[in-house]
Amino acid sequence: MAIVLVTGGEGQLGQELKQHVPQGHDLVSLSKSQLDITQDEQIAAAFERYQPDWIINAAAFTDVEASESNVELVQTINVEAVKSLLAYANKFQARFLQISTDYVFDGKSSEPYKEDDKTKPMNVYGDSKLKAEGIVLAEKGLVVRTSWLYSSHHKNFLDTMLRLFENQKEVKVVNDQVGTPTNAASLAKILFRLIDQNADGIFHWSGGLVMSWYDFACQIHGLALDKGLVSVGAKVVPVDSQGFPQKAKRPAWSPLSRKKCCDFLDLEPNAWREELSQEIDLYGKGKL
Ligand SMILES: NC(=O)c1ccc[n+]([C@@H]2O[C@H](COP(=O)([O-])OP(=O)(O)OC[C@H]3O[C@@H](n4cnc5c(N)ncnc54)[C@H](OP(=O)(O)O)[C@@H]3O)[C@@H](O)[C@H]2O)c1
């Protein structure tokens, strides 16, 4: 039985990991209040107590916009804490899995990004995640990059859209940022499969379909209407990101290719629309 210790256990991905633990894994999921990864003595105590075989570091400072004005804190959580966690992982001979992001790229590619494509982050958050990647890879760890995570139960684009569709007649969504929305549950399942294969190096996992935030909103709207979850009224309107001035620059085009991961795990491509449909069903049930 492999003991897998998850940090950031109450986050979006952390919660999905708890719900999708396969047989043969003993999951220890710790919230920030149970394990603050910036506190060495708490890390030491967790390793002593649970003696994990694997660490999945799902903890991070993830607010891309707030990162621009919290540079030191981002460095502490997203970089320095990773060094500490990794040092303990080495001491206790545990393997390390770090989650990273499409925001390590600058969005200038014209094809979905592959694992060995040149990185060039455009914002503080992406820069911190790239630094963490380097630290983990130098110790033969595993880095899984993902993008645009959504789920039924946590604050994310899906839940924001569904709330707006219920309450507003017109919902403006940017049409000039393109990526690959990814179901957080599917990512959780892939992480366990990579652990089972004792993988190392970099892998990408994404939903596989390339679209803008506006396209994604339209997909959500269509399914929510079919399911009677929102009223007919809301109109989804495409706009330029210039209409939403933000401190953090974002890559205009950051789809991730998941081919390496599919080949490595011998996976059939998943049904993207079905995954989204299931999450909307779960969201609807959560509201009953
Ligand atoms: N969400 C996305 O679209 C996306 C895309 C690409 C990559 N990723 C990466 O995927 C991973 C998981 O993201 P997510 O969407 O699950 O993010 P999330 O929902 O924001 O979860 C992150 C968790 O980390 C916790 N945390 C923050 N500081 C901590 C600390 N010092 N010690 C322990 N825990 C701490 C947060 O707690 P509090 O909320 O209490 O601060 C939160 O529960 C992250 O590495 C992120 O960079 C996410």
Side-chain angles (χ1 to χ4, degrees):
M1 180 78 78
I3 301 170
V4 180
L5 191 153
V6 174
T7 64
E10 289 304 305
Q12 181 174 204
L13 175 60
Q15 292 192 32
E16 292 297 340
L17 285 163
K18 272 189 269 188
Q19 284 176 35
H20 297 283
V21 192
Q23 281 189 343
H25 297 81
D26 191 358
L27 194 82
V28 179
S29 176
L30 300 178
S31 66
K32 184 169 152 187
S33 59
Q34 292 168 309
L35 170 57
D36 181 338
I37 62 168
T38 65
Q39 303 301 313
D40 270 21
E41 66 286 358
Q42 292 187 24
I43 300 177
F47 274 85
E48 288 287 355
R49 180 167 177 192
Y50 299 111
Q51 306 277 325
D53 300 296
W54 274 88
I55 315 301
I56 302 180
N57 183 27
F61 189 108
T62 57
D63 186 331
V64 177
E65 196 59 10
S67 294
E68 298 295 311
S69 37
N70 290 282
V71 178
E72 271 183 36
L73 184 59
V74 174
Q75 172 79 14
T76 304
I77 297 172
N78 289 1
V79 184
E80 299 306 325
V82 173
K83 278 185 203 161
S84 302
L85 281 170
L86 196 56
Y88 280 98
N90 285 341
K91 188 173 165 194
F92 284 77
Q93 296 184 322
R95 298 283 329 274
F96 198 90
L97 196 173
Q98 170 72 8
I99 314 298
S100 196
T101 169
D102 54 331
Y103 282 12
V104 298
F105 296 113
D106 67 3
K108 302 268 161 49
S109 178
S110 51
E111 284 179 32
Y113 280 100
K114 295 197 274 304
E115 285 76 356
D116 53 1
D117 281 342
K118 191 171 170 295
T119 50
K120 192 177 177 201
M122 302 177 77
N123 54 43
V124 169
Y125 166 77
D127 187 61
S128 71
K129 299 296 287 184
L130 182 62
K131 284 182 181 141
E133 287 188 4
I135 293 161
V136 173
L137 293 171
E139 300 286 340
K140 302 222 175 308
L142 171 60
V143 169
V144 179
R145 293 186 187 131
T146 190
S147 56
W148 297 22
L149 287 180
Y150 71 86
S151 59
S152 56
H153 55 74
H154 208 267
K155 193 172 175 301
N156 63 84
F157 186 79
L158 172 63
D159 129 275
T160 303
M161 285 301 120
L162 289 172
R163 274 188 291 107
L164 290 176
F165 294 151
E166 275 180 272
N167 299 318
Q168 295 189 10
K169 288 213 166 77
E170 187 178 274
V171 179
K172 292 183 177 149
V173 188
V174 296
N175 198 26
D176 55 1
Q177 282 169 23
V178 174
T180 33
T182 306
N183 178 234
S186 87
L187 173 64
K189 291 177 203 162
I190 290 298
L191 297 183
F192 285 116
R193 292 188 67 164
L194 287 168
I195 284 178
D196 283 343
Q197 296 302 316
N198 206 24
D200 59 16
I202 308 180
F203 287 85
H204 289 176
W205 184 252
S206 74
L209 278 192
V210 176
M211 64 183 77
S212 70
W213 288 114
Y214 165 75
D215 299 328
F216 189 21
C218 290
Q219 294 275 349
I220 295 168
H221 190 233
L223 282 164
L225 274 178
D226 288 351
K227 293 170 190 292
L229 204 60
V230 296
S231 60
V232 194
K235 188 175 164 208
V236 192
V237 180
V239 292
D240 284 353
S241 48
Q242 280 174 345
F244 295 90
Q246 289 181 311
K247 279 190 196 160
K249 288 188 188 151
R250 286 153 169 88
W253 205 88
S254 59
L256 296 177
S257 163
R258 57 185 190 176
K259 185 173 184 314
K260 175 181 169 186
C261 193
C262 286
D263 289 349
F264 183 76
L265 294 175
D266 199 15
L267 291 176
E268 291 294 324
N270 51 340
W272 188 89
R273 210 174 138 81
E274 249 166 56
E275 281 179 356
L276 178 60
S277 174
Q278 278 166 16
E279 288 303 326
I280 293 175
D281 286 341
L282 287 171
Y283 177 90
K285 280 190 193 137
K287 284 171 56 85
L288 291 178

